[in-house]
Structure formats: C-alpha cells, structure tokens
Amino acid sequence: MDSTVKAIKSLGVLCSGGDSPGMNAAVRSVVRTAIGLGIDVFGIYRGYSGLLEGNIQKLGLASVSNIIQRGGTILDTSRCLEFFTAEIRQEAAHILFRKHIDGLVVIGGNGSFAGAMDLHREHGIPVIGIPGTIDNDISGTEYTIGFNTAVQTAIDAVDKIRDTASAHARTFLVEVMGHKSSSIALQVGVCTGAEHVVLSNQAVDYQKIVNDIRKGAERGKTSSIIIVAEGEKAGLSYQIKNVLMNQYDLGVHVCVLGHIQRGGSPTALDRLIASKMGHAAVHALCQGHQAHVTALNKGELEMVPLDQCLEGKSETNGPQLELINALAI
Ligand code: F6P
C-alpha cells in the first residue's frame, strides 16, 4: 500500500438506485469480510438519501444473518437526484468525516457510481463500486449482480405465457425491463424460443414481425412470443400492439412483466458473484484502491477504475439476435 494512503479502520456500505437480487449477499459479504479484518462497518440506509439524513448504523455479524437468500436489500435503497449537486455532496462528505468513516462501498448502477466518483474527486473519500442492477448495462464489467435472477424470473413467466398462448393460438408481446439496455430481452429471447425480439436501440420492424408470425402460423405454429425491451419508458408494448392491430390487422396480447423481475431469491450465480465482489471490495479498500469497481471480465474478478464504469455499456446485440432469428424459423 502507498504510504500516503490512510489505513481503513471503518467503512460504510450502501445500496443505491433500483434494487437487484443479490444485493443482500453483497452486503453480507462486505460486513463479514470487514469484521473479519478488524474493520468497523456502518450500514447507510436508503442510499445517498439516507446518508444525507444521517441514517447510519453500526452493523455486527448477526445483522447480516439469514439474508444471503433474500431479494431486495436490508439496507433499503433510493434514487437520490439531489446527489448530483456539489453542495449536497459536501454535506454527505461532512457526515462521513464526522462519523469517522474512512471509505465507502456503493452497491448500485452507473448513476450511483457517478455520485461515488464525484464524492471521491471532490473530497478524497476512497470509494469502491459493486455493480448491482438487473439491467447488466454498466461499462467496464461484463456482469452486474441481479441480472441472472431477473432473466430467470422473466423466463419462468414467458414459459407460463407460452402455455396459454399455445392453448388459444395467440401471439403475445411480453415486455421485459432493462431501461435502455436490451440485455434481458436478448437472453430471455434465446432461452424461451421467442419468435422475435424488439430491441431498445432499434426502430420496430413491424413488417418483419408480421412476416415472422404469419410464416410460423402457415407451417403450423400454435403460438408466437415477441419479447420487447422496454427502452426509455415502460409500456412501449401497448403502442406496438396498436400499430400491429390498426395497420397490419394482427391481433396480439400484451403482458408487461414489470417489477416482478426485480424481486425474488437470487440465483446461485448472483449469490456467488455478490459474495466474491463484496469480499474483493473490502480488500480493495484495505489495499489502498481509491476509486474502483469490482468488475467481472472474461470470468475473472478484477478492479477496474471507477471512471471507466460510468457509462451505459455499448450494446453487442448481433450474435444473440442472429441466434434467435436462426432458431425461430
Ligand atoms: O434499473 C433497473 C430498472 O429496473 C430498470 O430496468 C427499469 O427501467 C427501472 O429500474 C425502473 O425503475 P423504478 O422502479 O424506479 O421505476
């Protein structure tokens, strides 16, 4: 460790932005690793909003018992728009100094990481980000905690919709979350044998949807599933339904899966990665990392500079989309 870097005696941990399954496993790992190293841990409740309110409590080993399997986050979370203001961040820094908190672990998405980056730049507070969002849309890491669970939840739902769609010979638009990212839509599309996927970064190709569905029906398919990436705002599927109905005379049903995808018990993969990332985050602070993210790339955990993880991930839709199209003939 660089001799100018202050040793970490106590750290704070918070969750910020949309919750994701596996956040609790990450919190547990941070708390247990820190205590194992003789470091005091403070839970900051309700993300940056709770930090500003001083909603901070010391955590013991037992405070994270029996949570590895639970969705949501025991620390609660929030989307704190105020944190984009420098004066507000100064208040937050003072609160951390007053509580003698030497470093911060932020579990969240790229908006939450942007706040952490500014807090570090402006006030020198060491910060480590743990990527936690179902969207899997953070640059600098191939994986974000919660993605696998959200995909599995959506798959379970689409499988059920497929049963009833087949029984009635219907076409369904099933809208999945992901904000500007199509990661969930593509993986769900491959794993449910969807006939078509509408991506968030491309115009809807209505003629192709209609052709795909009519071709399938002609060769005897009894149902069709179109996975829709929600894009900027949930509810896009209703607009698509109207166009298909009014301009192409194609009747479809809509099912928007919504927040069901954010809840539930995390899968083995999410528990495992969250446990590894929580452990790595505490060690990174002890080793003097100042502004880094516990990233997963090519199957390996690595520390990536935080400023490389502030953007949305550039989408590489190609291979998965080709697979969906190739298998949906
Ligand atoms: O970022 C996770 C996410 O679930 C997105 O997929 C979705 O667009 C958004 O959060 C919904 O946010 P909220 O629950 O705040 O409406």
Side-chain angles (χ1 to χ4, degrees):
M1 183 168 71
D2 174 349
S3 60
T4 60
V5 171
K6 194 176 153 214
I8 300 285
K9 294 204 182 94
S10 83
L11 63 83
V13 55
L14 62 82
C15 295
S16 168
D19 61 324
S20 67
M23 279 186 164
N24 277 328
V27 170
R28 171 180 179 270
S29 178
V30 167
V31 171
R32 294 266 166 101
T33 304
I35 294 175
L37 292 170
I39 297 169
D40 287 339
V41 199
F42 290 88
I44 299 169
Y45 290 81
R46 281 195 351 99
Y48 294 123
S49 305
L51 171 57
L52 292 165
E53 291 155 4
N55 193 349
I56 300 172
Q57 277 174 34
K58 192 165 175 193
L59 299 175
L61 292 173
S63 58
V64 290
S65 292
N66 201 8
I67 65 167
I68 195 168
Q69 76 282 20
R70 283 169 54 193
T73 156
I74 59 154
L75 294 180
D76 300 334
T77 184
S78 66
R79 297 190 191 277
C80 181
L81 299 180
E82 288 173 278
F83 214 72
F84 288 107
T85 316
E87 298 81 67
I88 294 288
R89 287 192 296 272
Q90 185 158 35
E91 273 178 43
H94 283 151
I95 292 170
L96 291 171
F97 291 141
R98 276 204 302 276
K99 291 262 179 197
H100 304 289
I101 294 178
D102 303 321
L104 195 60
V105 177
V106 173
I107 308 171
N110 41 21
S112 310
F113 286 0
M117 188 73 238
D118 287 338
L119 201 58
H120 173 69
R121 272 200 202 109
E122 293 161 0
H123 303 284
I125 296 164
V127 288
I128 302 295
I130 296 181
T133 162
I134 63 165
D135 298 346
N136 200 20
D137 63 345
I138 303 180
S139 57
T141 181
E142 287 170 7
Y143 193 76
T144 63
I145 296 165
F147 175 67
N148 185 258
T149 308
V151 165
Q152 191 56 54
T153 300
I155 289 172
D156 292 345
V158 175
D159 289 349
K160 292 184 170 86
I161 292 168
R162 179 72 86 172
D163 287 345
T164 175
S166 297
H168 286 267
R170 284 175 175 166
T171 295
F172 270 82
L173 295 169
V174 183
E175 185 173 305
V176 297
M177 274 190 166
H179 193 44
K180 292 178 190 160
S181 162
S182 302
S183 296
I184 295 178
L186 282 163
Q187 197 142 324
V188 171
V190 174
C191 297
T192 57
E195 276 64 29
H196 190 99
V197 174
V198 174
L199 301 174
S200 63
N201 60 352
Q202 283 176 18
V204 183
D205 188 343
Y206 288 100
Q207 194 57 61
K208 179 160 172 23
I209 294 179
V210 173
N211 292 347
D212 286 352
I213 285 162
R214 295 218 163 114
K215 196 172 67 181
E218 276 161 25
R219 76 147 178 81
K221 278 194 183 182
T222 54
S223 64
S224 295
I225 300 284
I226 301 163
I227 305 293
V228 179
E230 66 176 1
E232 287 280 351
K233 201 161 158 273
L236 171 68
S237 304
Y238 291 102
Q239 292 170 33
I240 299 177
K241 171 186 164 142
N242 287 340
V243 175
L244 289 174
M245 180 84 99
N246 298 333
Q247 296 180 27
Y248 297 88
D249 196 26
L250 185 75
V252 295
H253 285 65
V254 170
C255 182
V256 178
L257 297 186
H259 289 80
I260 187 175
Q261 296 159 98
R262 285 234 298 256
S265 185
T267 58
L269 184 71
D270 279 321
R271 297 180 197 198
L272 184 67
I273 293 177
S275 300
K276 286 183 179 177
M277 286 185 171
H279 187 72
V282 176
H283 280 280
L285 279 175
C286 293
Q287 286 157 9
H289 283 85
Q290 294 293 298
H292 284 80
V293 168
T294 57
L296 193 76
N297 287 312
K298 299 198 168 69
E300 298 291 327
L301 210 60
E302 56 176 8
M303 300 310 299
V304 171
L306 183 54
D307 59 8
Q308 292 175 22
C309 303
L310 304 180
E311 305 296 326
K313 196 154 42 194
S314 56
E315 301 257 88
T316 46
N317 301 327
Q320 291 204 76
L321 195 59
E322 276 168 28
L323 183 59
I324 291 164
N325 287 333
L327 301 183
I329 53 171

